[in-house]
Amino acid sequence: MTETTARADAGSVHDLGAHRAAREAAASPVVSLVKEAPTTVGPVPGTAPAPAAPAAAPLRPVRVWVRGVRAARVAVTDERTQAAGRLAVRHGAYVVAGGGIAARRVWDARSTARYERMMRTAEAAGQHEAAADWEERAQRFRAARHQRRMDLLTAPQRAAKGAAVGTAATAGGLLALGAAVALAEGDPAATLVPLLATIEAIRWVVVIAMVVWGPALTAAPWLALLALWNLGRRRQAAPAWALPAHQRSAEGEPITPSVVVQALRNLGVAALRNAIKDMGDAGAGMLGPIVIAGCGVEVDVTLPSGVSTDEVQNRRRKLAENLTRHEHEVFVTIPEAARTVRLWIADSGALDEPIGPSPLVTDPTASGDYKGGRAPWGQDLRGDAALVSLYQRHMLITGLSNQGKTASLRALALWLALDPTVEFRIGDLKGVGDWKPFEGIATVLIEGPTDDHVAQVVDVLEEGVAEMERRIMAPAGMKFPPLILLVDEAQVAFMCPALSQDDRPLDEKGKPIGAVDKRPLGGTKATSRYFQAARKIHNQGRAVDVLLWQGTQDPTDQNLPKLVREGAHIRASLVLGTESQARMALGDKAVDGGAAPHKLRQGLDKGTVVVAGDGVKLAPGQSATTIRTHYINDEEADQIAERAKALRDGVTTLHAVEAGEERDHLADIAHVVGDAAKLLTQDVLKRLTALSGGVYGDWSHVDLKRALDGTGAEPYKSDGRMNVSRERLHRALANRPEPDSTSALG
């Protein structure tokens, strides 16, 4: 504190003290017993004039105002003040709402408003017979009401006549009773005893009524307020923020028709609120039956005229909060019926519970069936098994990083691996070992994120295109085994800027023959080799069972072109960041129909996928469904893979695709046969194509036989089918005069 400030504060204290002393002196004058000296007007001679006393400074009103505001703010923000405010608002709202409910009931009882609401509700739901029935009831009510009003016109006359007759009859009866008593006792005066007793009883009734009337009249308004308060309390007719804490708990409450109607009424849609208000208690007429559906309930809501399904769908979070649920626990979809939304409401916390292991893990006898079977992928929200048909269907699965994309895709591949007729060629552009279980199952397994790995994956896809074209050009009626070309982390391929390597053959002078291939490996343009291969397979591969499965992260137009993502028959998405990404992953139709992967919780909904397209069983009118997939860990995947390998005959997995033109055919054939004692010639041709599509892509059985003629390892027939023997191939290699080989053997 500076010296100037200290002086100022001291001066202020002195001024306040002087001001207080002056006020006290004015309020109570001092009486002195000592004679006072005469007062002099001028200064005392020989002394210096005294300095004038400073004027008293007034109190600063600004500081007082600021302190008052601070005190008021503290009082208002105090928890006790807020609790008292909520209490007052809640109970006041109970009384007001109770009065409204009572007035509505009285109005309904005295008019045809109830019947008219019922008719409007039935007409909105298309129930014309019910509407006609309510109209007939309204006519009967009007007739009865008219009769009552006509009776009121003659009521005074009937009342007067009835009172006179009743009085005369009562008096006559009492006199007759008195006469009987007088005759029995022999006293004529006893004739009036019953009549006088009745008059005395009436007098006491009047006295008691006069005593009770005052307190009853005083208590009547309070009793009426209490009745209205109780009526409003039972309906919980108060703002949600003013309700008691236990009624605003996040634990949720049972879903009943009244709860759903109240949640819709408070949704913030004026037309919906007014329509429900007009319907009164018949607001539940909008609802279909509430049925148990898995770990929650499901109900169809027929919206009133003037309310669109988008208005409800876009307020999913508020609807969930009105139902005392979290946003991820309420799903709004659009069924076939017009102006109808389907609500699926989970039990509180149910979606955070695991769904259990995959049948592939629990059932060691489980098998795959490419053509007629369905893969057990998980459970839908109703708790039913989610089965996926993979027959002749391209697949795309996408989502944010570390949300279970690879595990979900691998679960389907493991089931299909249990069908020994299916061949896999896999490109894992992450390269961290997620697809190691397919060693010995896949004929090609490329693992790594570099440009060289992308080039290898592009070669795999282009050889898949060559195989597809060979199958298309084959004679009609030929059957081919399914070929799955699987690329995980496909965005790495699309985003790869590298150009094709210069693999041109050299002439005798060492100069390349032909023009260099300057096409980029990735990209979204027509010059992209990966893009072109994917598009060709999407266009024609399905017809000859050459299928492309892709997994990619964070879809955008740059890392997942529109033409490629729309070529997939099954499109699945885990949690995404935005609605625009959801539209890229699943398509506009699915998102407009209620699919919302961007509403899933990152980190908490791992393995939950929203699936659209063909191959997945959908409810009528639905364009997408939500599946909680089974999680198969690495150890379980290895066990399933071992069962799949036991169904196959020694598959040799290649980790690179050779592009050289000069090949050692005998060594290559021995290499692809691998450890199998014998191998069908058609499987040998298939593996040779995977080894080098440029050399063996056009080979037929005749070419294979020509290559082995004279070696002692010629194809032979066993069980009616042509095979190649591993032992004969190795004997032929050992007996060759030239031991060295240009093959990639070993």
Side-chain angles (χ1 to χ4, degrees):
M1 181 182 295
T2 63
E3 182 178 357
T4 304
T5 306
R7 289 178 179 177
D9 292 342
S12 299
V13 173
H14 174 74
D15 294 343
L16 292 174
H19 185 71
R20 188 179 301 108
R23 286 187 300 173
E24 292 175 356
S28 57
V30 179
V31 179
S32 178
L33 299 179
V34 182
K35 184 178 180 181
E36 296 180 355
T39 303
T40 59
V41 178
V44 179
T47 62
L59 291 175
R60 300 182 179 180
V62 175
R63 291 186 178 180
V64 176
W65 182 80
V66 170
R67 292 172 184 169
V69 170
R70 291 177 179 174
R73 183 174 60 186
V74 171
V76 170
T77 57
D78 187 80
E79 179 60 29
R80 291 171 294 183
T81 304
Q82 294 180 352
R86 287 196 296 268
L87 181 68
V89 171
R90 179 168 68 251
H91 292 287
Y94 287 164
V95 174
V96 174
I101 295 171
R104 175 59 63 86
R105 289 181 177 178
V106 172
W107 177 253
D108 286 346
R110 305 294 297 176
S111 68
T112 59
R114 174 181 301 171
Y115 301 96
E116 292 174 358
R117 285 199 306 272
M118 292 297 185
M119 283 188 287
R120 289 196 298 268
T121 302
E123 289 174 353
Q127 301 173 355
H128 301 293
E129 294 182 359
D133 180 62
W134 282 110
E135 185 177 7
E136 183 180 352
R137 294 186 185 185
Q139 291 293 345
R140 291 199 298 266
F141 173 83
R142 293 189 186 98
R145 183 179 61 184
H146 176 72
Q147 185 61 42
R148 289 194 300 270
R149 290 175 177 175
M150 296 303 294
D151 292 341
L152 287 175
L153 297 176
T154 59
Q157 301 173 6
R158 294 198 307 271
K161 183 178 179 180
V165 173
T167 301
T170 302
L174 292 174
L175 289 173
L177 179 62
V181 172
L183 183 62
E185 295 183 358
D187 184 6
T191 304
L192 298 177
V193 170
L195 183 60
L196 294 176
T198 302
I199 293 173
E200 184 66 14
I202 294 173
R203 188 181 70 83
W204 277 108
V205 170
V206 172
V207 171
I208 294 173
M210 292 177 63
V211 173
V212 175
W213 178 256
L217 191 62
T218 303
W222 300 104
L223 293 175
L225 287 176
L226 180 61
L228 296 178
W229 171 85
N230 186 53
L231 186 59
R233 180 187 61 83
R234 286 186 299 173
R235 290 293 189 89
Q236 291 297 309
W241 57 268
L243 292 175
H246 70 276
Q247 295 178 0
R248 293 181 282 113
S249 173
E251 294 299 325
E253 60 182 11
I255 301 300
T256 62
S258 60
V259 170
V260 177
V261 171
Q262 185 174 0
L264 294 170
R265 183 183 62 195
N266 298 330
L267 200 56
V269 182
L272 180 59
R273 181 180 62 252
N274 295 335
I276 294 176
K277 185 177 180 181
D278 292 339
M279 293 178 187
D281 294 340
M286 298 188 306
L287 308 181
I290 298 178
V291 297
I292 297 176
C295 57
V297 297
E298 189 174 74
V299 58
D300 284 355
V301 181
T302 302
L303 301 176
S305 178
V307 182
S308 68
T309 56
D310 289 342
E311 292 178 293
V312 176
Q313 197 172 26
N314 294 336
R315 289 172 172 81
R316 174 182 167 188
R317 173 175 294 181
K318 190 171 185 179
L319 177 61
E321 293 173 350
N322 291 346
L323 294 167
T324 64
R325 296 294 191 272
H326 296 292
E327 183 180 10
H328 71 277
E329 294 176 330
V330 175
F331 289 80
V332 184
T333 54
I334 312 299
E336 287 183 339
R339 221 172 59 244
T340 302
V341 294
R342 179 167 296 161
L343 306 181
W344 185 86
I345 307 162
D347 299 334
S348 293
L351 294 183
D352 296 328
E353 299 295 330
I355 64 171
S358 169
L360 300 181
V361 177
T362 58
D363 184 7
T365 63
S367 61
D369 184 357
Y370 166 75
K371 186 174 182 180
R374 289 180 175 269
W377 207 8
Q379 292 181 1
D380 61 15
L381 295 178
R382 301 176 63 92
D384 299 330
L387 305 177
V388 184
S389 173
L390 303 175
Y391 177 61
Q392 292 187 342
R393 290 179 174 93
H394 304 298
M395 172 170 286
L396 170 65
I397 181 168
T398 185
L400 297 182
S401 177
N402 195 31
Q403 298 303 306
K405 170 179 54 61
T406 298
S408 300
L409 187 60
R410 189 177 67 179
L412 294 177
L414 285 171
W415 175 81
L416 200 56
L418 295 174
D419 184 346
T421 65
V422 180
E423 178 189 358
F424 288 92
R425 301 180 189 178
I426 300 174
D428 177 14
L429 293 178
K430 188 188 325 184
V432 296
D434 291 331
W435 295 93
K436 278 295 183 183
F438 280 79
E439 180 80 29
I441 297 177
T443 54
V444 179
L445 177 57
I446 310 297
E447 297 178 290
T450 66
D451 291 349
D452 290 339
H453 293 100
V454 173
Q456 291 286 330
V457 170
V458 171
D459 289 339
V460 169
L461 255 66
E462 290 180 340
E463 291 180 1
V465 173
E467 172 66 13
M468 175 191 72
E469 293 172 346
R470 184 181 70 83
R471 295 182 178 189
I472 293 174
M473 299 303 296
M478 289 190 64
K479 302 295 183 182
F480 301 98
L483 172 59
I484 306 297
L485 304 172
L486 192 154
V487 182
D488 195 9
E489 306 297 339
Q491 78 278 356
V492 177
F494 281 113
M495 298 295 289
C496 180
L499 299 178
S500 302
Q501 297 180 359
D502 191 357
D503 293 330
R504 291 176 295 171
L506 304 179
D507 59 13
E508 64 276 3
K509 297 181 179 179
K511 294 183 179 181
I513 301 175
V516 65
D517 187 357
K518 295 183 179 181
R519 293 178 299 164
L521 297 176
T524 62
K525 297 182 179 180
T527 56
S528 167
R529 291 175 57 191
Y530 184 90
F531 174 79
Q532 284 296 328
R535 284 298 300 152
K536 290 179 180 179
I537 295 172
H538 278 168
N539 289 339
Q540 296 178 301
R542 175 181 178 275
V544 290
D545 293 312
V546 177
L547 305 177
L548 176 60
W549 292 7
Q550 296 181 97
T552 183
Q553 290 183 16
D554 198 14
T556 65
D557 285 328
Q558 287 71 38
N559 61 26
L560 188 59
K562 183 175 185 294
L563 292 178
V564 172
R565 62 179 183 251
E566 291 184 350
H569 301 104
I570 300 175
R571 299 169 69 171
S573 175
L574 293 100
V575 58
L576 290 172
T578 63
E579 181 180 336
S580 62
Q581 290 179 330
R583 292 183 179 276
M584 291 182 185
L586 301 178
D588 292 336
K589 180 181 179 181
V591 176
D592 291 338
H598 54 290
K599 297 291 187 179
L600 298 175
R601 301 166 296 168
Q602 185 173 0
L604 298 177
D605 290 325
K606 281 188 175 182
T608 299
V609 296
V610 182
V611 187
D614 194 11
V616 183
K617 183 179 179 181
L618 301 175
Q622 298 298 300
S623 56
T625 187
T626 301
I627 297 175
R628 302 171 69 197
T629 61
H630 295 296
Y631 175 65
I632 302 175
N633 59 36
D634 292 340
E635 181 179 352
E636 294 168 342
D638 289 335
Q639 296 173 359
I640 299 171
E642 290 300 324
R643 288 159 43 198
K645 294 174 187 177
L647 300 174
R648 298 169 186 263
D649 193 6
V651 175
T652 301
T653 300
L654 305 178
H655 296 280
V657 180
E658 298 293 339
E661 292 296 326
E662 296 296 330
R663 308 287 305 186
D664 185 336
H665 300 321
L666 183 60
D668 285 345
I669 295 171
H671 177 67
V672 299
V673 170
D675 297 332
K678 61 181 179 179
L679 191 65
L680 295 174
T681 54
Q682 63 181 16
D683 291 336
V684 173
L685 291 172
K686 180 173 60 178
R687 296 183 184 184
L688 286 174
T689 301
L691 179 63
S692 178
V695 176
Y696 301 113
D698 296 330
W699 270 36
S700 64
H701 294 275
V702 175
D703 298 313
L704 179 61
K705 182 178 182 301
R706 185 183 300 115
L708 295 177
D709 282 346
T711 63
E714 295 84 354
Y716 67 97
K717 182 173 290 188
S718 175
D719 297 329
R721 305 183 70 180
M722 299 301 294
N723 292 266
V724 176
S725 170
R726 177 178 61 85
E727 181 181 356
R728 295 180 182 180
L729 287 170
H730 283 276
R731 187 185 307 118
L733 285 173
N735 294 332
R736 288 199 310 183
E738 298 179 359
D740 57 335
S741 172
T742 59
S743 171
L745 179 61

